[in-house]
Amino acid sequence: MSGARTGLSGFINTLEETLIALLLGLMTLITFANVIARFAFNSNILWALELTVFLFAWLVLLGAAYAVKTHTHLGVDAIVNILAPGPRRVVALIAAGACLLFSLLLLKGAYDYWAVFADLPPTSGRWFPTGFDMKARSQSFYEVQDVPMVGIFRFLEDLINYGDSYEKLPKVVPYVVLPLSMLLLVFRFAQAALQVLRGDADRLVASHEVEDELDEARARATEGED
């Protein structure tokens, strides 16, 4: 795994990688348990499918930010490769700026969508936040369809649901990944822009790990022939 291991950046790296590994492991475990329940016991874990969908959504959204950090998003770099280092750096900075702006727009939209489930006011303004919409109707009582309420989240009943109990998991819990992942995406694109400015990188997309491995394999094969 790449990235700094000290300070705030190191903490975020470790948290990101741990969450992604945990999500993948939980998805595998729950799916396996549901298969066993179906074929061995002729039963079904009712909430397994919905929970797996939520976990997969978390995996994809958090993985998008992680892929920015590791430069593993796919992209077309045919034009970038023929540019000189100077113009290539300019193009990379323009791309980083565009991606950063887009991720900020996504962050606003993600927060606005999630805020009503958390009994918080969404932002006003169509594109950029101009304040908070204090008249927005709270949807903190909304629940998911199948996943039962978990004891560790009971505090939400008094915090945002005015003392009413939840039978199912409130939507505020699984949907919190929306603003969280978009905030991470903003952070990672800002990091990528700084890497380009410092000269540590010349593009945002498609690290050439596979090509490097092929070159190493060819070199070893050539050495073996000699």
Side-chain angles (χ1 to χ4, degrees):
M1 297 296 183
S2 60
R5 294 294 171 182
T6 59
L8 178 61
S9 181
F11 172 77
I12 294 176
N13 287 343
T14 302
L15 180 62
E16 233 176 345
E17 293 167 0
T18 302
L19 274 176
I20 289 172
L22 182 62
L23 290 168
L24 187 58
L26 285 174
M27 286 176 57
T28 304
L29 181 63
I30 293 170
T31 302
F32 176 74
N34 201 27
V35 170
I36 295 299
R38 283 173 181 264
F39 289 94
F41 301 101
N42 195 29
S43 182
N44 182 36
I45 304 175
L46 294 177
W47 46 264
L49 178 59
E50 185 179 41
L51 183 56
T52 302
V53 169
F54 286 142
L55 292 174
F56 182 71
W58 276 64
L59 182 67
V60 170
L61 291 170
L62 293 175
Y66 183 77
V68 173
K69 181 190 76 171
T70 55
H71 298 278
T72 49
H73 275 291
L74 296 178
V76 178
D77 56 5
I79 296 178
V80 174
N81 288 335
I82 64 176
L83 295 176
R88 184 183 303 169
R89 185 179 182 185
V90 172
V91 169
L93 287 173
I94 293 173
C99 290
L100 189 57
L101 177 60
F102 183 63
S103 61
L104 285 169
L105 293 174
L106 288 176
L107 176 60
K108 170 181 163 48
Y111 170 80
D112 290 345
Y113 184 81
W114 171 80
V116 291
F117 296 116
D119 198 31
L120 294 173
T123 62
S124 57
R126 182 175 178 83
W127 298 101
F128 301 99
T130 56
F132 290 98
D133 182 7
M134 305 305 296
K135 296 181 180 180
R137 178 174 176 268
S138 173
Q139 298 178 15
S140 59
F141 58 91
Y142 278 32
E143 300 173 336
V144 301
Q145 184 173 347
D146 296 318
V147 181
M149 181 59 174
V150 183
I152 60 173
F153 297 121
R154 287 291 178 190
F155 72 95
L156 293 173
E157 295 172 346
D158 292 325
L159 183 64
I160 64 173
N161 205 34
Y162 305 96
D164 292 338
S165 61
Y166 290 111
E167 293 184 4
K168 305 295 184 181
L169 192 68
K171 286 188 174 183
V172 64
V173 176
Y175 289 3
V176 71
V177 71
L178 294 171
L180 175 62
S181 60
M182 293 306 105
L183 185 61
L184 278 172
L185 199 62
V186 170
F187 176 67
R188 291 308 183 190
F189 276 126
Q191 275 190 324
L194 287 175
Q195 288 177 348
V196 175
L197 279 173
R198 292 196 301 258
D200 297 333
D202 63 356
R203 69 195 70 203
L204 302 183
V205 298
S207 65
H208 297 279
E209 295 176 358
V210 175
E211 294 178 11
D212 293 340
E213 290 177 0
L214 288 174
D215 290 339
E216 292 176 4
R218 293 190 188 100
R220 289 194 297 269
T222 302
E223 292 174 0
E225 291 174 359
D226 294 339

